[in-house]
Amino acid sequence: RQGAWEQRDTWQRANEIIEKLNLKAGSQVADVGCHEGYFTMKLATIVGKNGNVYAVDISKDKIERLKKHLADRNIQNVKPIIGEEDNPHLPSGTLDAALIVDTYHEMDDHQQILHHIKAALRTGGRLVICEPISDERKKLSRAEQARKHELGMNYAMEDLKQAGFKIVWKEEAFVDRVKEKGDRMWLIVCER
């Protein structure tokens, strides 16, 4: 896992994504769709011992692997959460930020998820979403994109506006993975 994470560091632009969250020591942040904890570990360091990372995934296996990574590194400011497909089970009104990377396209009930995330964010709290889409699939329907495990930025923008988020920054080709995976990853930063 560590080797895969180190390789991911070469292309993901993780530090730049995290900067968009506006975190500081003591911040409360959610990593929704945390998988085994690539971003969770980085976020835990930034928010420090007085902050918390709510690491959410619907896969019990991924949460168990995350717990092992946390124990191996003696990280104690992460709260692993087994979420549901339409509810990440985040605490209400307490988060400074939430992050969704390479997971939003997997979600079915986007408005319900966004409702729960918005309810968890403090006023002015940020939501950052980063997702892949290949150039040749940008014009496909949302359903066709989802079947290919991708989602165009335009669909997410519509969702966010409908949910009442204010979009403060966006970039269509934030991460270029064409050589590695044949796609680019867009990034949207929005606020409650």
Side-chain angles (χ1 to χ4, degrees), residues 11-124:
W11 59 264
Q12 181 69 76
R13 296 177 67 185
N15 293 338
E16 293 171 69
I17 292 171
I18 292 169
E19 282 175 18
K20 301 289 186 199
L21 294 167
N22 283 352
L23 300 174
K24 59 185 185 289
S27 289
Q28 308 292 308
V29 61
D31 182 5
V32 180
C34 66
H35 301 93
E36 295 178 17
Y38 172 77
F39 273 100
T40 299
M41 302 303 162
K42 295 174 183 302
L43 294 169
T45 300
I46 290 167
V47 302
K49 64 180 181 181
N50 295 322
N52 285 302
V53 179
Y54 296 88
V56 182
D57 208 284
I58 63 170
S59 166
K60 291 178 183 174
D61 289 342
K62 287 180 181 170
I63 291 293
E64 288 306 314
R65 287 195 291 273
L66 169 67
K67 288 178 181 177
K68 181 171 180 353
H69 292 310
L70 295 170
D72 290 348
R73 293 164 175 80
N74 195 29
I75 296 173
Q76 299 177 8
N77 63 343
V78 173
K79 299 178 185 306
I81 299 170
I82 298 172
E84 295 176 44
E85 290 188 11
D86 64 349
N87 188 347
H89 296 292
L90 296 168
S92 181
T94 60
L95 298 182
D96 299 296
L99 176 65
I100 304 174
V101 176
D102 204 4
T103 302
Y104 192 73
H105 68 273
E106 299 283 355
M107 299 173 179
D108 292 325
D109 195 340
H110 296 93
Q111 285 307 309
Q112 194 65 13
I113 286 287
L114 292 174
H115 167 77
H116 287 296
I117 291 173
K118 189 175 180 186
L121 288 169
R122 296 179 175 142
T123 301

